[in-house]
Amino acid sequence: MTLLDFTILAAKVVLVMSVLLSTVPILVWVERRGSAFIQDRLGPNLVGPFGLLQPLADVVKFLFKEDPIPIAAHRFLFPLAPLCSLVPAAVTFAAIPFGDTIDLWGKTITLQIADINVGLLYIVAFGSLGIYGILLAGWSSNNKYSILGALRSSAQMISYEVALGASLIGPLMVYGTFSLREMVHLQASHWGILLQPVAFITFFISAFAECNRLPFDLPEGEAELVAGFHTEYGSMKFALFFMAEYLHMITISALTVTLFFGGWQLIPGLVPLAQWIGVATYPTSIGLSLLQVFSFTLKIGFFLWLFIWIRWTFPRFRYDQLMSFGWKILIPVALGNIFLTTLAIYLKWI
Amino acid sequence: MIPINHLAVFMMLGFALILGLGLLGLSALLGRVKPDPRKLSTYECGVPPSGSPRNRYSIKFYLIAIFFLIFDIEIAFLFPWALIVKSQIPLGPMVIGEMFLFIALLLVGYFYIWKKGALDWNS
Amino acid sequence: MWHDIIFWILAVLCVSCALCVVWQRNPVVSAVFLVGSFLALAGLYLNLSAPFLAAIQVIIYAGAIMVLFVFVMMLLDLHHPLDLYFRFTKLKFPKLIVLLLFSWFLCTLILATAFPLAAPQTSQGFTISQIATLLFSKYAFPFELTSLLLLIAMVGGVVLAKKK
């Protein structure tokens, strides 16, 4: 491993993390304006044109606001909990390929930070670590509402994690590899959703529950439990939880796109459009790589909008409905998908 | 020599940790510090907190955690199986039969706990 | 070079987290340090080019088993038994003897191991497909027994928790 390799890796990490972190304020803006649009009202529109600088103002506010640690809170675990939430959410994106390869300075750079051959397991592993942030936040706040919200939220997350894992088995059987890069390569002719529609539905629903997003956000529902596990958190620690939630959303959308919607494979019709505009698209040109990254971004953007759209359209589930749905409906459906896929593979349909 | 992909994972972890700690540290530096007992007291919609938060909570959470553990282990076994199923089927259906037996035994347990009402949040 | 740096960082982290597990009074904080120790261990596996093992360690150990532990700690509201604690702090001399004996035992063990030679000689490690094939051919019977064990655990959990 030469110095050039190392520098390229460092540059990739810095670049991807910067893009991720700057997507979070954009998402905040989209959520606030989008929800306003759905609810037939104006959103933030005073700070900057169309309220675009509102998230920036929020960041400044979070930095300069007082960041208290309540008297009753555990002094070590209370600040640790937001970190436990942020770090897994931020790291998970490393295994996701956002483009094929690009040739620069005589080296072929893969557009993926860590092309480990257990990419999918890596993402599942860090996803399951996100529970600790919530549990520790609730317990260390020493507040009845926090701990109840934390327990309910974690119980919900672990219930849907079983369904999430089980729904991933179907695509794994079809692709035969854990490596996300190979999965995208295998979707060159047709996308994964044509082969595994049931797995997509189960995965997407479980993803909502994993991210604590409506219709599964009772544990942090505003009118129900004050603010759930982050009642006692303010200023930057609260902002870290917020960032962790949005980063988790981005990563889950990216994973959905990679598994079921072709990853960075070009959206059909993009190549003629690009050639008409004048972007070069031979196999290893920079133009093609940019097109791939653009397709990927567009697809992720669609799913992020879907997250926001669903949040502001549906009412939330009651907690026992939520748990029954996760254990009694999703898990059998996911297992049924495994059986069906096995049958299809045995009969050589797939 | 460590493969560059594994180094990438550690690098990403280090970056995320530095980012989190940096943000917290920045807020601690830049944020004002004016402690006030009413501000720092436990929040309970404006009234003084009644009762201790360290009560015993429902045992349903413990049951859910145990079931999650068991099904997570099952899925951990399903992962390598899913990897090789496509390549091993030409050698005979034995590999499918083994896993189906595994899942069937766990389904017996699943139906038992369903029938016993351990999956109902109401009772 | 990186291999050694990462190894030393993770090893120190692992051992110190493990020590903190024992030294903390609060059981929830102990559980958190145990999670840290497991994560450091997973990092060590990754450093040794066993990414599958590292991922499974995080998923099962740190992500499922320790979640169960932390749930139990939070649900049980444990107070440290103060009288037991004070009873044993009075026995200073026996504590010292046990500590010395144990450290001598541990040091003898560590010094008696010829470290580079005692490590198993794996040529290039297994790929996941090889592990999987082995699991379902040679070790199929223990694998089925595992499912029986899990079934027993499920039934046992329900029996314990649903005593009417």
Side-chain angles (χ1 to χ4, degrees), chain A:
Chain A
M1 189 192 341
T2 62
L3 187 62
L4 184 62
D5 286 326
F6 187 74
T7 326
I8 292 177
L9 178 64
K12 268 197 281 193
V13 169
V14 170
L15 190 67
V16 170
M17 286 296 283
S18 321
V19 169
L20 274 183
L21 290 173
S22 45
T23 313
V24 173
I26 299 178
L27 255 186
V28 171
W29 179 83
V30 171
E31 170 128 35
R32 292 172 77 170
R33 290 289 289 200
S35 66
F37 172 59
I38 291 175
Q39 293 176 335
D40 204 18
R41 58 179 170 90
L42 300 169
N45 60 350
L46 292 177
V47 188
F50 296 109
L52 276 169
L53 294 180
Q54 179 73 41
L56 192 62
D58 282 338
V59 168
V60 173
K61 174 192 78 173
F62 280 133
L63 276 177
F64 285 98
K65 200 171 169 184
E66 178 172 358
D67 199 351
I69 297 185
I71 296 180
H74 193 281
R75 294 205 71 87
F76 174 60
L77 290 182
F78 190 81
L80 183 68
L83 276 179
C84 278
S85 217
L86 178 69
V87 170
V91 168
T92 322
F93 202 85
I96 295 189
F98 48 91
D100 196 359
T101 55
I102 199 170
D103 287 329
L104 286 175
W105 304 301
K107 287 195 108 41
T108 307
I109 309 174
T110 54
L111 289 176
Q112 182 182 12
I113 295 183
D115 187 11
I116 40 183
N117 58 346
V118 285
L120 194 61
L121 280 189
Y122 169 82
I123 295 182
V124 173
F126 276 101
S128 61
L129 284 182
I131 297 174
Y132 285 108
I134 296 180
L135 271 176
L136 293 176
W139 189 85
S140 62
S141 304
N142 236 328
N143 181 341
K144 280 198 284 301
Y145 302 106
S146 297
I147 192 168
L148 204 55
L151 281 174
R152 288 165 90 176
S153 180
S154 342
Q156 166 196 311
M157 279 176 81
I158 63 181
S159 309
Y160 283 85
E161 219 172 280
V162 181
L164 195 82
S167 68
L168 284 175
I169 304 287
L172 265 179
M173 288 166 74
V174 170
Y175 296 131
T177 172
F178 284 127
S179 160
L180 290 173
R181 167 157 296 277
E182 279 180 42
M183 280 193 203
V184 177
H185 280 299
L186 286 169
Q187 293 180 61
S189 43
H190 37 254
W191 289 354
I193 187 163
L194 299 169
L195 301 172
Q196 289 281 308
V198 178
F200 165 65
I201 294 176
T202 330
F203 178 77
F204 202 52
I205 297 177
S206 313
F208 270 91
E210 277 291 302
C211 299
N212 276 334
R213 296 282 293 185
L214 247 151
F216 299 103
D217 81 339
L218 189 63
E220 55 176 49
E222 285 81 32
E224 319 282 343
L225 272 175
V226 191
F229 62 92
H230 50 72
T231 307
E232 298 281 357
Y233 281 89
S235 178
M236 192 42 91
K237 300 195 187 71
F238 173 73
L240 286 184
F241 275 121
F242 230 60
M243 266 171 63
E245 176 176 327
Y246 282 114
L247 283 172
H248 207 161
M249 259 170 69
I250 297 175
T251 310
I252 290 276
S253 305
L255 189 61
T256 316
V257 164
T258 310
L259 283 173
F260 298 107
F261 285 90
W264 45 254
Q265 300 284 358
L266 298 174
I267 301 174
L270 203 57
V271 177
L273 183 67
Q275 281 170 339
W276 180 72
I277 297 179
V279 180
T281 55
Y282 342 114
T284 53
S285 76
I286 296 185
L288 188 67
S289 307
L290 280 176
L291 275 183
Q292 288 167 344
V293 177
F294 179 64
S295 303
F296 186 67
T297 317
L298 225 62
K299 293 179 199 174
I300 294 188
F302 171 70
F303 279 100
L304 286 172
W305 170 243
L306 204 61
F307 263 98
I308 296 176
W309 192 7
I310 290 183
R311 175 180 184 175
W312 294 102
T313 313
F314 289 104
R316 57 170 65 99
F317 281 133
R318 216 173 54 218
Y319 197 67
D320 59 314
Q321 289 174 333
L322 198 155
M323 297 298 269
S324 305
F325 185 66
W327 284 102
K328 296 188 181 175
I329 300 183
L330 271 191
I331 293 182
V333 167
L335 287 176
N337 178 48
I338 296 178
F339 287 142
L340 277 178
T341 316
T342 318
L343 195 64
I345 291 183
Y346 189 63
L347 296 175
K348 299 200 181 38
W349 287 346
I350 301 184

Side-chain angles (χ1 to χ4, degrees), chain B residues 15-117:
Chain B
F15 196 91
L17 263 171
I18 295 176
L19 173 80
L21 287 168
L23 278 174
L24 281 180
L26 209 59
S27 171
L29 276 174
L30 293 174
R32 46 189 284 170
V33 185
K34 274 193 164 179
D36 180 284
R38 281 175 293 271
K39 232 188 328 189
L40 297 178
S41 64
T42 309
Y43 181 74
E44 193 157 325
C45 306
V47 300
S50 61
S52 152
R54 302 278 185 249
N55 298 320
R56 299 230 176 153
Y57 293 97
S58 168
I59 204 169
K60 290 191 280 249
F61 293 112
Y62 162 77
L63 267 184
I64 296 287
I66 288 222
F67 297 147
F68 161 62
L69 175 60
I70 293 174
F71 283 98
D72 209 28
I73 297 180
E74 172 183 357
I75 292 179
F77 275 115
L78 275 172
F79 277 130
W81 177 77
L83 206 64
I84 61 161
V85 108
K86 217 171 188 184
S87 49
Q88 292 284 330
I89 282 193
L91 304 176
M94 190 60 190
V95 71
I96 306 183
E98 284 169 12
M99 185 47 87
F100 276 18
L101 178 61
F102 182 81
I103 298 183
L105 280 171
L106 277 163
L107 278 180
V108 167
Y110 179 67
F111 285 123
Y112 173 76
I113 60 180
W114 188 327
K115 194 167 154 300
K116 275 284 173 180

Side-chain angles (χ1 to χ4, degrees), chain C residues 6-24:
Chain C
I6 294 179
F7 166 73
W8 278 110
I9 296 178
L10 287 174
V12 167
L13 203 63
C14 190
V15 172
S16 46
C17 282
L19 282 174
C20 287
V21 170
V22 186
W23 278 337
Q24 283 294 324

